[in-house]
Amino acid sequence: MSNKSDYIVVGGGVVGLATAYKLQEKFPNKTITILEKEAEVGMHQTGRNSGVMHSGIYYKPGSYKAKNCRNGHAQLVKFSKQNNVNFDVCGKIIVATSNEEIPGLENIFQRGLKNKTEGICYLTSEELKEKEPFIKGVKAIYVPTAGIIDYVGLCKTFVEKVRAINLKSQFIPNCEVNEVISEKNNSILKTSIGDFSAEKVVFCTGLQSDRVAEKDNLELDMHIVGFRGDYYELTAEAKHKIKNLVYPVPDPKFPFLGVHFTRMVDGSIECGPNAVFTFKREGYNKTSFSLKDTYEALKFKGTWKLFGKHWRKGIGEYKRAFSKRLFIKELQKLMPSITVNDVKVARSGVRAQAIDYGGNMVDDFKIMKHNGNIHVINAPSPAATACLAIADEIIKVVVE
C-alpha cells in the first residue's frame, strides 16, 4: 500500500466520494487516496437520509444551496442514467393543510420561480386527491423534478469510477485520521493504520468536520451539533396510501423540512424524520449517549442560545420522539386516515448542523481553505443532491 499520493480525500460519504471522482476525472494521471473510518461507504448521513433528490425549490435565491442544488440535480440525473444508479424522478407534492399555511406555501412557490425550479404548479384540493388520494390539503405545489435515489449505491459507483480511471488510486476503509501535520506543499495524516501524505487533502467528514478542522489548527466560528431524525415505515397493508413524496409546509424559522412521506427506491414508504438534539453525534438509538459529544455540545454557548430561541419546538420534537401516538398525530395533518397500526419503527439518522456563537443554524454550505488543505465544514441538505456541484466548487479551490 503506497502511502504517498497526489491527493487525499478524507470521508467516504457522498460529498467526499463525488469530490474524489471529479478530481480523478479532471486529473486522470494523479493518484487519489480516499480514507474512511468505517468499514463501508455512506455509513452515516449519506446512508441515513431520506434518499430524496431535491429540486431546489426551498432555498434562498442566489445562495450556494440554491445554485448547487439545481446544478447538482441535473448532474446527478445524468450520471445515474449513464452508470445504472437506481433512481426515479417521481415528483413530489408540498401540501398546505390549513388556510394559515397558504402564505408559507406561496412563499415557497415564489422561491421556486426565482430558483428556476422546472415545471412547478399549484394543485387544488381536488387535483391533490387525484395524485395522492389519502392526502388532505387546501392547496399544494407539485414539483415534478424531485425524485428518489440510492445514495449508498451512488457512493459505490463513485469509488469504482475513481479506480477505473487510475489503478493506482485507492479506497482505504477502517482508517481514522488522528492527527494532521500541514506543511506548505505537503500534509501528513497520522491515522489508525499508519501515516499518509499528499500535496493537498480534502476533508469531507460530515458529523466530525469541526473536530477534524481543529486537528488541522483551523479556527472556526461555529460548532457541529447533531440532530437525530427517527423514521417510521408504512406497513405492507398501508403502503398503498402513498404514491411518491409528500411534504408539509416547513416552519420558516427551522432549517428542517418537517415530517414527510417518502417512497424509497426499494418500494418501502418512510414517514419522518423528526429533529431532536442528540447526545451522541453518531448515535442512532433514542438512548444513545456519548459523554464527550454531550459535553462539547453543551459547553458551546451557541447551543444554549439555539435552545433559548427554539425551546418550544424542541420540547415538541422530543415528546414525539418518544411517543408513537404523537408522531402519528403529526402525520395525520397530512393523512387523516393513518393510524398507529399503519406504521412500524424504522431507522434513524443524525444530521450535522453547524451552529454559530449567536445560536443561529448556519444555513448555507461552508468550504474553507487552510494550509493548502480544503475543509467542507457545513454541508446540510441538499448536500447529497448537490454532491457533484459541491465537488466542482471544491475542485475550483484545489486548482487555485
Side-chain angles (χ1 to χ4, degrees):
M1 184 165 70
S2 161
N3 287 0
K4 170 82 177 136
S5 37
D6 295 305
Y7 298 112
I8 292 173
V9 175
V10 180
V14 73
V15 174
L17 295 173
T19 303
Y21 159 64
K22 283 278 182 133
L23 259 179
Q24 194 69 86
E25 200 181 37
K26 188 168 179 69
F27 303 112
N29 299 324
K30 300 266 191 190
T31 54
I32 298 175
T33 298
I34 304 158
L35 306 180
E36 165 55 45
K37 72 180 171 68
E38 304 297 350
E40 303 271 348
V41 297
M43 293 282 279
H44 295 293
Q45 293 187 101
T46 296
R48 290 176 172 272
N49 65 31
S50 57
V52 172
M53 287 195 292
H54 288 287
S55 61
I57 191 169
Y58 298 106
Y59 312 116
K60 188 177 168 185
S63 66
Y64 250 172
K65 269 189 182 182
K67 287 186 285 198
N68 284 329
C69 186
R70 192 158 172 267
N71 168 3
H73 181 285
Q75 289 196 53
L76 198 52
V77 169
K78 187 179 172 190
F79 180 90
S80 299
K81 277 182 185 163
Q82 288 170 344
N83 296 285
N84 296 319
V85 176
N86 191 3
F87 81 103
D88 181 10
V89 180
C90 57
K92 85 167 178 190
I93 295 169
I94 305 166
V95 181
T97 55
S98 65
N99 289 328
E100 291 81 59
E101 288 183 341
I102 288 177
L105 191 76
E106 287 173 347
N107 283 342
I108 292 169
F109 193 82
Q110 291 307 317
R111 277 194 167 186
L113 293 177
K114 285 178 185 153
N115 289 336
K116 300 187 172 71
T117 310
E118 284 170 41
I120 55 171
C121 61
Y122 281 121
L123 301 176
T124 62
S125 53
E126 291 76 28
E127 289 167 327
L128 170 62
K129 268 268 178 287
E130 272 171 42
K131 284 198 183 294
E132 294 284 352
F134 291 88
I135 296 296
K136 194 165 186 271
V138 290
K139 193 175 184 180
I141 300 169
Y142 178 57
V143 188
T145 52
I148 51 177
I149 187 167
D150 173 8
Y151 280 119
V152 174
L154 175 69
C155 285
K156 289 174 179 169
T157 305
F158 285 147
V159 174
E160 285 163 17
K161 299 288 279 186
V162 167
R163 292 165 80 170
I165 296 167
N166 189 330
L167 293 171
K168 289 179 182 164
S169 290
Q170 52 194 348
F171 171 76
I172 300 171
N174 300 309
C175 176
E176 185 165 3
V177 173
N178 297 322
E179 198 182 335
V180 181
I181 301 164
S182 296
E183 293 150 7
K184 199 176 176 195
N185 296 315
N186 191 46
S187 284
I188 297 162
L189 305 183
K190 293 190 169 295
T191 80
S192 54
I193 59 169
D195 294 0
F196 293 84
S197 67
E199 277 177 41
K200 279 197 169 72
V201 182
V202 181
F203 295 95
C204 302
T205 53
L207 283 156
Q208 307 296 337
S209 66
D210 55 343
R211 289 176 177 166
V212 174
E214 278 165 22
K215 288 175 186 171
D216 196 18
N217 297 315
L218 176 57
E219 297 244 329
L220 297 179
D221 55 359
M222 58 184 72
H223 185 82
I224 297 294
V225 173
F227 286 87
R228 196 187 70 253
D230 306 307
Y231 293 89
Y232 283 86
E233 190 182 323
L234 290 189
T235 60
E237 298 75 33
K239 259 169 56 170
H240 68 282
K241 291 188 171 185
I242 284 289
K243 290 194 165 76
N244 291 306
L245 314 178
V246 179
Y247 280 67
V249 175
D251 180 343
K253 300 189 291 294
F254 223 55
F256 308 134
L257 297 177
V259 172
H260 48 267
F261 293 95
T262 312
R263 175 168 68 84
M264 309 298 281
V265 285
D266 65 1
S268 62
I269 308 280
E270 287 193 339
C271 336
N274 54 358
V276 294
F277 170 78
T278 179
F279 293 93
K280 186 178 182 185
R281 288 196 192 191
E282 293 171 2
Y284 301 113
N285 298 315
K286 288 177 181 165
T287 52
S288 295
F289 181 80
S290 153
L291 188 61
K292 179 189 177 190
D293 292 358
T294 303
Y295 173 72
E296 283 188 6
L298 297 181
K299 76 168 188 189
F300 180 64
K301 287 192 185 95
T303 306
W304 290 102
K305 286 184 179 167
L306 177 80
F307 290 169
K309 289 177 194 176
H310 298 294
W311 65 271
R312 275 196 185 88
K313 181 95 176 167
I315 288 169
E317 293 283 330
Y318 249 100
K319 283 181 182 166
R320 271 206 298 278
F322 288 93
S323 166
K324 187 177 180 182
R325 189 181 57 79
L326 289 175
F327 207 103
I328 296 299
K329 205 172 161 189
E330 191 67 17
L331 292 171
Q332 281 170 340
K333 291 177 187 171
L334 288 167
M335 187 191 286
S337 68
I338 197 169
T339 69
V340 171
N341 298 329
D342 286 338
V343 302
K344 56 186 182 184
V345 172
R347 62 204 176 104
S348 294
V350 176
R351 308 170 176 96
Q353 179 61 53
I355 293 174
D356 67 17
Y357 281 97
N360 306 302
M361 295 194 176
V362 179
D363 190 41
D364 219 346
F365 302 143
K366 189 158 182 78
I367 300 165
M368 295 177 79
K369 197 173 171 180
H370 183 66
N371 287 341
N373 297 332
I374 292 117
H375 290 263
V376 179
I377 302 295
N378 196 42
S381 178
T385 305
C387 63
L388 288 162
I390 297 171
D392 291 334
E393 298 280 342
I394 291 167
I395 285 158
K396 275 184 210 159
V397 181
V398 170
V399 171
E400 276 167 20

